[in-house]
Amino acid sequence: MWASRDLLCWLLLGNDMASSPTQKALKWIRDQGYTADVAEYWNHFARRRKDLFGFIDIVAAKAGEPLIGIQATSRTNISARVRKIRSIEAHSLWLSSGCRLLVVGLPRVVELLEEGTIDVVHHKKSRRGSRD
């Protein structure tokens, strides 16, 4: 059975289920060859979404690679999400245990490191008729 948010997206947008930042990030990480699933859930009583450790929406795994925690957001909210994650103590434990932490606001992806951040992906839309 579909969650009500997914059903609403399907009704409003047709078959384009990849409309929320979480669904877009999930598709993006799966396209990279990772097995991934949503780790956030809806708390019906509090009427809020609850992220894993307060900052992880998606967990992704791939053989031979470190576990990845993903905070999905819009491109314009990436810096706010990075500040939020840095304010949560558990993020240091996540990183020091060898796991990776990405903030995905497609087309931009930022990786949080123990000290600082780096842009992992920043796609630019190609212009029509441009040659590679």
Side-chain angles (χ1 to χ4, degrees), residues 43-102:
N43 181 330
H44 176 73
F45 298 104
R47 297 177 191 242
R48 298 183 65 178
R49 291 208 176 281
K50 172 78 170 96
D51 296 341
L52 178 66
F53 302 125
F55 58 89
I56 296 175
D57 296 327
I58 299 168
V59 176
K62 187 177 187 180
E65 298 287 330
L67 199 61
I68 298 178
I70 297 173
Q71 168 67 221
T73 188
S74 62
R75 184 184 52 79
T76 56
N77 284 327
I78 289 176
S79 60
R81 294 294 178 256
V82 169
R83 283 192 303 274
K84 173 192 159 194
I85 292 168
R86 292 257 184 238
S87 72
I88 299 171
E89 263 185 60
H91 99 279
S92 296
L93 178 61
W94 181 265
L95 292 173
S96 66
S97 67
C99 299
R100 294 175 64 195
L101 185 53
L102 302 178

